[in-house]
Amino acid sequence: MSRLLHFTYDILLEFSRPVTRHSFVLRCLPPQLPGQQILDAELVLDPAVPFSVQRDGFGNLLQAGCIQDPHASFHYTARGTALRDDTRRQPEPCHPVFRMESAYTRPDPDMTGWLASLSLPDTPRQLAWALAQAVHDRIAYVPGATGVATTAAQAFAAGQGVCQDFAHIYLALARKAGLAARYVNGLPEGEGASHAWCEVWLDGIWTGIDPTRLQWTDEGYLRFGIGRDFGDCPIERGVFVGNADQQQTVFMRVSAQQ
């Protein structure tokens, strides 16, 4: 069922002392896709500096710029309206890269041994769901237990993590089991922080599955970026000149109107 989504994504980066020459790349605006029509969207930066809009090799929208002057914070807000309707998705070819291991999703012997111990169905859709259920049951959701550099093997060994870790573990196992799967980040309906989930190539269509919440995704999910893993599509990445620590505050809201 189609949904009209109103979204706000707000990030505040605070530095312990002023920094300069702060180059940034953002992926905080959702792209136009079959099933995801962007009716309006804007990005507001503070400090207000020019930025370019580009696409990366995965088709994600990039917003890139540089703050030359000293600043102690960087605040950006993306907001807009999108119409989501999964019945408008279209068959797509699958690039072989989504069947291969990547930096964050390389399974170790413990993961492959655990996968071999599972009793799994043969059909791709049932297999995709069974793996999501297995990961959801095996890993505990513990905020702060891992970081952005944590790999699937590390989170699996710890038995805990956040949505990024659930997605990486799922991708590692799904690809090992013969499925084509990719990492997705964006915003789900509700309030809080950004979210990560997966898409599996089923019958020629990329189909969303969320191992953290154990559900197939629906029109309440707004996609920002895709890639082999988190490293291909972080929402924010930057470098600056200055000896400063930084603190990030994130808030998002997605509300739906039928």
Side-chain angles (χ1 to χ4, degrees):
M1 180 182 296
S2 64
R3 294 189 202 179
L4 187 66
L5 300 180
H6 303 284
F7 68 92
T8 299
Y9 185 62
D10 189 86
I11 301 289
L12 174 63
L13 292 176
E14 296 176 287
F15 303 101
S16 58
R17 61 190 65 180
V19 300
T20 61
R21 287 187 279 169
H22 179 184
S23 297
F24 60 86
V25 175
L26 310 177
R27 292 177 179 82
C28 62
L29 289 175
Q32 293 275 9
L33 303 165
Q36 180 169 289
Q37 181 183 0
I38 309 305
L39 303 180
D40 62 81
E42 66 171 347
L43 175 62
V44 179
L45 306 182
D46 181 18
V49 294
F51 62 90
S52 64
V53 179
Q54 309 165 33
R55 285 189 182 270
D56 65 17
F58 294 98
N60 305 315
L61 288 178
L62 304 180
Q63 304 84 46
C66 184
I67 308 170
Q68 295 285 356
D69 296 333
H71 57 287
S73 65
F74 178 39
H75 186 198
Y76 60 94
T77 303
R79 61 174 69 93
T81 307
L83 181 64
R84 285 280 287 108
D85 185 351
D86 281 342
T87 65
R88 296 183 177 273
R89 291 176 302 170
Q90 299 173 357
E92 301 177 50
C94 175
H95 196 287
V97 72
F98 295 119
R99 297 185 183 275
M100 301 166 60
E101 297 176 0
S102 63
Y104 282 90
T105 66
R106 189 168 294 115
D108 65 6
D110 287 342
M111 296 178 70
T112 55
W114 183 73
L115 177 64
S117 73
L118 300 176
S119 179
L120 296 171
D122 295 327
T123 63
R125 183 172 293 273
Q126 291 177 332
L127 174 59
W129 178 255
L131 286 173
Q133 190 164 36
V135 171
H136 182 83
D137 292 344
R138 173 66 172 73
I139 305 300
Y141 184 86
V142 181
T146 55
V148 295
T150 303
T151 66
Q154 291 168 337
F156 184 85
Q160 58 188 14
V162 293
C163 59
Q164 175 180 307
D165 305 298
F166 278 74
H168 283 155
I169 293 169
Y170 181 85
L171 292 173
L173 298 174
R175 292 169 184 165
K176 193 71 176 178
L179 297 173
R182 64 191 188 187
Y183 184 93
V184 188
N185 64 34
L187 307 179
E189 188 176 348
E191 294 185 355
S194 58
H195 191 51
W197 61 95
C198 304
E199 287 181 343
V200 182
W201 196 60
L202 300 174
D203 299 320
I205 292 178
W206 286 105
T207 303
I209 190 166
D210 185 345
T212 307
R213 299 181 174 186
L214 192 57
Q215 63 185 45
W216 298 103
T217 66
D218 59 16
E219 285 87 352
Y221 285 73
L222 186 63
R223 194 182 100 185
F224 278 10
I226 60 166
R228 295 165 298 174
D229 55 35
F230 167 80
D232 289 333
C233 54
I235 291 180
E236 186 271 334
R237 178 168 285 166
V239 294
F240 54 80
V241 175
N243 183 18
D245 297 324
Q246 59 180 312
Q247 178 176 320
Q248 185 184 76
T249 304
V250 181
F251 177 76
M252 76 86 188
R253 177 186 290 117
V254 177
S255 57
Q257 178 181 340
Q258 294 297 123

